[in-house]
Each structure stands twice: as C-alpha cells, then as structure tokens.
Amino acid sequence: MTQFRSYWGAIVALMLFHALASRTLLISRWMVLLLAVSAGSALAFPTYRYLQVGQFFLPAGGINLLISASQANPHPSSADGEAVDSVITMSDALLTAEKWRAEGLSNSEINKKAEGLASALRSDGMKFN
C-alpha cells in the first residue's frame, strides 16, 4: 500500500503543477506550498520509520523484487535445465531475509543479494548475444 500512496502523491503533485503552470502561477506561494507538501509527504513515512526503529531509508525493491520476479517466472529452470515448480511467497522471502540477517548481512547487502537473484530469475532462459 505504501507504493500506491507514493504513486498517488506523485500523480496529484503533477496535476497540481500543471494547474499552476497553466494559470502562470509557477512563481507564487502556491508553488512553494506544493513543493513543501510534496517533500513532506515523500519523507513522512521514512521519518516515522527512523523515529520507531532508528533506520532512515527510502523504499527500495530489495526482497520484494525477488517475489515479483518469482511471480513473473513461476517455472524457472534448475541448473540442469529442468523446470522447477516454485513460486516465492512473502513468507519465503521473509525467511530468506532472516537467514541472511543471521549470517551477518546488512540491509543493503540483503537488498543487493535479493536484487541479483531476482535479476537472474527474471532473465532465466533468455539468450544474450
């Protein structure tokens, strides 16, 4: 739901920007207000997260990319070329992330590893020349 709110905020901000531009109000207090509200809304949830857990970061693909890649390619081939029947669920991804955390990986290392696996899963079976 967080990502939908982010997209919705960007769409509303663009509509308001267009409305201000069409009324030649780009240099006005309304533009300053639009920029302030847009910046505040983009940073509100990461700031709240920082206050709760002490980590400030903006949303990233990370482990979620692994889930979406699995949904895009639900029958990946194994190392020997055979099709494998497995879809990675949110529970599977959480367990994987917890395992990597127990191995001592940081959040950015976990995200990088998940993004690499997601890339491999998405490009499974593709031939690059």
Side-chain angles (χ1 to χ4, degrees):
M1 200 52 138
T2 300
Q3 291 166 343
F4 176 75
R5 287 184 304 209
S6 299
Y7 294 135
W8 180 245
I11 291 168
V12 169
L14 285 172
M15 290 187 318
L16 290 172
F17 178 81
H18 177 71
L20 290 173
S22 66
R23 289 176 175 74
T24 63
L25 294 172
L26 285 180
I27 301 175
S28 68
R29 67 176 187 253
W30 296 110
M31 180 55 81
V32 173
L33 181 63
L34 173 62
L35 292 174
V37 169
S38 296
S41 64
L43 296 174
F45 187 70
T47 302
Y48 169 76
R49 183 177 17 227
Y50 175 76
L51 294 173
Q52 294 298 313
V53 298
Q55 294 180 340
F56 182 87
F57 54 91
L58 295 170
I63 205 79
N64 290 326
L65 289 178
L66 193 55
I67 297 167
S68 63
S70 173
Q71 291 170 345
N73 183 10
H75 306 291
S77 59
S78 65
D80 59 6
E82 300 266 334
V84 178
D85 240 0
S86 64
V87 173
I88 298 170
T89 65
M90 183 59 91
S91 299
D92 298 332
L94 181 60
L95 289 172
T96 302
E98 288 173 348
K99 176 182 173 284
W100 290 340
R101 168 73 68 213
E103 292 173 0
L105 273 68
S106 67
N107 283 344
S108 61
E109 292 169 329
I110 290 171
N111 283 339
K112 186 179 264 190
K113 191 170 185 173
E115 289 167 3
L117 288 172
S119 177
L121 187 57
R122 275 193 313 270
S123 62
D124 177 47
M126 297 174 79
K127 302 287 186 209
F128 297 101
N129 293 330

